[in-house]
Amino acid sequence: MDMPNIRARLLVVLVVLCGFLSVAGTPSASAATIADSLSFDGTALTVANGRFVDANGREVVLRGYNVSGETKLAENDGLPFASVADAKKSATALRALGGGNSVRFLLSWAYAEPVRGQVDTTYLAAATEQMRAFLDAGIRVYPDFHQDLYSRWLFDSDSWYTGDGAPKWAVDLGNYPDESCGICLLWGQNITQNGAVKAAQYDFWHNAYGLQDAFLATAQTTMTYVKQHLSAEEFAGVVGFDPFNEPYAGTYDSGQNSRTWERDLLWPFYVKFRARMDAAGWQDKPALVEPNLFWNGNVSKEEGGLLDAGTLGSRYVFNTHFYDQKAISGILMWGNASDGQYVTDFGTVRDRASAAGTTAVVSEFGHPLNGSTAGKAPTVLKAMYQALDSRVKGADWWATPATSGPVLSGAQWQWDIYNGRHNELMNDNPDKVLTSGDAWNDEDLSAVKLDDSGTAVLRQDARLLDRIYPSATSGTTVAFTYEDRSRDGSTTLTWNPVPSSLPNVASLVGSGQYSLLVWRSGGGTTPTELHLPASFPTATTTVVSDLGTVYGPPAYTSTTKIAAAAEPGGTGSRRLLLTDSDSGVLHYALVTNGATAPSATVLSAARTELSAWAAQRFG
C-alpha cells in the first residue's frame, strides 16, 4: 500500500535473492488443454501499441487480485497457500466469485534463499505447483518477489510492527541499529522514520555486500526454474515478472532527489533485471517495473514515474500502486468517495504509460475492510474500479465518452482465503499469535475468506467485484463504462445513469446493471470478449449492438455474431463473445441484466438510439 500517515501497505527494499544454483529437472509433461478452452484461447501476451495483446492481435485487459499477503507470513513458509488443494480452491473462487482473469503472485526471498548462495528448490517447487493451480484455471499470472520494510528480522520480537522480504542472513550483513520508528501510529511510517529500515533499503540500492548482484543472480535462477517446470502452455499464461515491490531509496545521497535516484539507481537495476529475464528464457515477456512508490501519492508525494527512462516500449510495463492516503487516514478525507474521485489519479497513470510507449497495470489498490475508516470502502473501491474502466466520471461519460482512454489492468489487494483464520507468530514471538484480519500489521483488506464449512465467500459486495470488463478486444477499444449498482450499506450507488435523452435504452436498463463497450474493428478473425458476472445469467442477459440484438445469447459458434461461452479453466465463469468481420469500423455493444424478456420493438428502438448516439459522439 503506500505512504506514511495511512494504514496501507508500504514498501521498502525488496528482496535480494542471492546465490547461484544450476536448476536441474525436466519440464512437467504438457498439460491437457485447459478446460472450456476455445481455439483462440491460451496464447502468450506481449506489449504492442501501448496495450497488452494476445497472439490474435486482441487488446487484453487483466483484472484480478494479489495472491496473497499470506506470503508475508511464516505460518505457511512464505507461500500463498498451505497446500495445492487450497490454491485450487482459491483459484476457482477467484474466477467464479471475484471475476478475475489474472493474479499478481507473491513470492518470498526469505524462503527462496534461507542460506546465502543456496536457493531452496523445495520452496520453488511448491510455489510453482501453486502457480500452476491458477494457470490451469485459465488465470494469467505475474510473479512478484514481495517485500515491505525490508525484513521481519529487522524488528524486535516485541515490536508493534513487522516486515517481510529479506532473510536473516541479509539483515545480519548490515549490522543495522535497533529498530525504532519513534512516534509511529501506522506501520507505513517505518519506511521513512525507522533508521534500520532506511539503512537496509539504502544498502540494497547501493549494492552493499553484493546484495543486488546476488538478488539478480538468484532471480534468474528462480525464473529459469519456473520456466523449466511449467509446460509450454502453462508458461504462455505467465504474463511477465514484477522485479521489485514498492521501491524506495531509504535515504538519498547528498544532492540526490527522488527523480535522480530513479534515473541513477532504480532504472539501471531494472535494465539488469531485464537482462536476467532474457537469460532465463523470459525474453518475450515484459518486466512490470514500479517507480518510486511516492510518485503518485495524494498525501506524501515525490517526483518520479521513471521520467528519465526514455521509451520503455514492449520490453517493460509501467506498473504502479494506488491507495487513497487521505481516505485511509480518517482525517484528511472525512466523507465517502464520490463519482469521479480517482479519474484524475488514474488518468495520470494512463498518461505516464503512454508517454513511456507502453501499457500500464495498477498492480495494487484497495482499502481497509476493518477499522475506523472501513465504512469508506464501498465508495472508495467503486471509484477506483470506475477509474480503471474510464478516465471520465459517470456524470459526464455519455456526453464525452471519446475521452475515456484505454481500460486499465489492475489487481486489488488482496485475495487471502485465510483471512481471520491465521496462526502467525509475529516476529517469531510465541506470545504474539495473530489470528484476525490479514495477520500483518493490523491490516484487513482481503476480498475473500473461508466460512465455517471451508467454502470461499466474498467479504465485499459481489456487484462491485464481479464486473463486466473487456477481457479481449478484437481491434481498438474506444470507450468503456460499467455501472455496477454496488451498495454502500442499503444504498445503491448509481453514478452513471443512462441519460433521459435515450429513453428506450434507459427503459431497457431500468434499475439493472449495464456496460457499454465501443471499439473499432481491427480485421481479426477472433471475437471480442467481455467477462459476464454471475449477476448476468446467460438466459436473461440482453445485448444491444450494431452487430444485432439478443435476449439470452446463444452458444458460441464462429458464425454467431453475439454469443456466450464458458471462460477457460472449468470454473463455471462465462464470457460474451462479439464477432465482427471488418476493419476500421466503429462498433458498440450494450450489455444489461435490466429488463426481463424485452420485446423486439424495445430492442430495435434502443438500437436506433445507440446508433445515433455513437454516430454523434464518435463521428
Side-chain angles (χ1 to χ4, degrees):
M1 318 203 158
D2 270 326
M3 289 351 336
N5 304 328
I6 57 167
R7 164 164 298 154
R9 25 166 295 54
L10 270 220
L11 153 277
V12 98
V13 187
L14 163 242
V15 259
V16 308
L17 285 150
C18 164
F20 295 84
L21 174 80
S22 61
V23 179
T26 57
S28 60
S30 294
T33 300
I34 294 175
D36 295 326
S37 289
L38 296 172
S39 60
F40 44 80
D41 291 330
T43 66
L45 299 187
T46 54
V47 177
N49 300 318
R51 306 288 191 274
F52 286 115
V53 296
D54 65 13
N56 304 296
R58 299 182 299 174
E59 294 181 353
V60 170
V61 172
L62 302 174
R63 288 289 176 86
Y65 304 84
N66 282 262
V67 179
S68 74
E70 175 69 15
T71 299
K72 301 181 182 186
L73 309 181
E75 62 183 7
N76 282 329
D77 297 327
L79 291 164
F81 303 98
S83 65
V84 173
D86 279 1
K88 291 179 178 179
K89 176 186 292 187
S90 181
T92 298
L94 188 146
R95 194 74 147 138
L97 300 179
N101 67 354
S102 59
V103 293
R104 181 173 181 245
F105 190 96
L106 274 61
L107 300 172
S108 170
W109 172 49
Y111 289 90
E113 192 188 14
V115 177
R116 184 167 192 170
Q118 298 179 29
V119 175
D120 185 349
T121 54
T122 300
Y123 175 80
L124 295 185
T128 303
E129 285 300 311
Q130 293 185 10
M131 200 180 299
R132 179 178 285 113
F134 287 83
L135 295 166
D136 289 350
I139 297 170
R140 296 186 186 271
V141 171
Y142 46 106
D144 154 50
F145 264 114
H146 207 80
Q147 69 76 45
D148 302 272
L149 306 182
Y150 195 70
S151 173
R152 69 191 288 127
W153 284 279
L154 282 175
F155 292 84
D156 298 332
S157 62
D158 60 350
S159 176
W160 288 5
Y161 304 107
T162 191
D164 69 284
K168 186 177 184 300
W169 63 261
V171 172
D172 291 343
L173 284 173
N175 192 29
Y176 300 114
D178 190 48
E179 60 95 4
S180 175
C181 194
I183 303 175
C184 282
L185 302 178
L186 302 167
W187 76 262
Q189 292 175 260
N190 283 273
I191 189 85
T192 56
Q193 293 179 221
N194 189 320
V197 172
K198 291 167 65 177
Q201 295 176 99
Y202 182 91
D203 280 352
F204 179 84
W205 295 114
H206 289 78
N207 199 25
Y209 318 110
L211 287 174
Q212 192 177 118
D213 290 340
F215 163 74
L216 291 167
T218 305
Q220 179 180 334
T221 296
T222 301
M223 288 184 284
T224 300
Y225 185 98
V226 170
K227 185 177 189 298
Q228 288 185 347
H229 291 80
L230 293 177
S231 70
E233 181 182 23
E234 290 165 344
F235 189 60
V238 178
V239 176
F241 208 106
D242 182 347
F244 195 103
N245 179 64
E246 294 177 345
Y248 186 64
T251 302
Y252 293 119
D253 288 319
S254 177
Q256 189 179 58
N257 58 34
S258 57
R259 181 167 178 172
T260 58
W261 174 79
E262 280 194 348
R263 181 194 67 196
D264 298 338
L265 290 174
L266 182 60
W267 181 248
F269 164 76
Y270 287 146
V271 172
K272 293 174 185 175
F273 192 95
R274 173 71 265 181
R276 297 291 183 153
M277 291 179 68
D278 295 348
W282 293 50
Q283 60 270 22
D284 296 328
K285 300 181 184 295
L288 288 75
V289 295
E290 302 184 33
N292 170 2
L293 85 157
F294 296 124
W295 84 280
N296 64 340
N298 63 0
V299 176
S300 302
K301 191 175 183 67
E302 297 182 5
E303 186 178 26
L306 304 177
L307 295 170
D308 300 301
T311 300
L312 303 186
S314 62
R315 304 262 288 162
Y316 300 90
V317 167
F318 187 73
N319 173 15
T320 189
H321 299 171
F322 185 80
Y323 295 91
D324 185 346
Q325 303 154 7
K326 294 179 180 179
I328 295 173
S329 74
I331 299 172
L332 299 175
M333 188 186 106
W334 288 99
N336 288 337
S338 58
D339 178 23
Q341 184 97 10
Y342 306 118
V343 295
T344 299
D345 295 298
F346 285 51
T348 299
V349 173
R350 289 177 171 89
D351 292 341
R352 184 67 207 107
S354 177
T358 188
T359 191
V361 58
V362 184
S363 64
E364 283 189 31
F365 62 92
H367 189 84
L369 301 183
N370 197 8
S372 61
T373 69
K376 300 178 188 294
T379 56
V380 167
L381 266 295
K382 180 180 174 75
M384 288 181 177
Y385 275 110
Q386 177 194 54
L388 286 171
D389 289 344
S390 171
R391 67 187 305 157
V392 182
K393 70 178 185 178
D396 297 338
W397 192 89
W398 285 91
T400 59
T403 58
S404 280
V407 181
L408 286 175
S409 295
Q412 184 176 327
W413 185 272
Q414 64 163 327
W415 190 267
D416 173 19
I417 62 173
Y418 307 115
N419 177 270
R421 297 175 179 272
H422 292 283
N423 185 38
E424 174 70 4
L425 277 60
M426 185 176 180
N427 298 317
D428 302 315
N429 186 341
D431 296 324
K432 295 186 73 173
V433 180
L434 306 182
T435 59
S436 63
D438 299 341
W440 200 85
N441 287 336
D442 294 324
E443 288 201 336
D444 189 356
L445 284 95
S446 179
V448 72
K449 66 176 182 179
L450 298 179
D451 66 15
D452 290 342
S453 71
T455 301
V457 295
L458 295 179
R459 301 179 65 227
Q460 295 174 276
D461 189 347
R463 289 158 290 210
L464 171 72
L465 300 180
D466 190 12
R467 310 175 62 79
I468 293 182
Y469 57 92
S471 51
T473 301
S474 185
T476 302
T477 302
V478 177
F480 176 72
T481 190
Y482 180 52
E483 178 49 77
D484 57 45
R485 312 269 193 187
S486 56
R487 270 61 162 180
D488 180 9
S490 61
T491 301
T492 298
L493 301 172
T494 300
W495 292 351
N496 191 357
V498 178
S500 59
S501 58
L502 301 170
N504 289 288
V505 176
S507 174
L508 188 67
V509 170
S511 61
Q513 300 165 294
Y514 80 88
S515 74
L516 181 53
L517 173 67
V518 182
W519 76 100
R520 197 169 295 279
S521 58
T525 59
T526 51
T528 290
E529 300 186 21
L530 294 98
H531 169 70
L532 282 178
S535 58
F536 282 72
T538 305
T540 55
T541 292
T542 299
V543 182
V544 178
S545 171
D546 66 291
L547 300 173
T549 63
V550 63
Y551 176 72
Y556 172 76
T557 72
S558 60
T559 59
T560 307
K561 289 188 175 183
I562 302 174
E567 287 179 316
T571 62
S573 60
R574 294 159 302 110
R575 50 184 160 170
L576 182 71
L577 299 173
L578 307 168
T579 303
D580 60 65
S581 57
D582 44 42
S583 180
V585 175
L586 191 76
H587 296 285
Y588 65 84
L590 173 83
V591 186
T592 183
N593 58 5
T596 301
S599 68
T601 300
V602 170
L603 292 175
S604 177
R607 183 182 183 188
T608 298
E609 288 179 353
L610 285 172
S611 293
W613 170 83
Q616 181 183 33
R617 299 304 180 195
F618 300 97

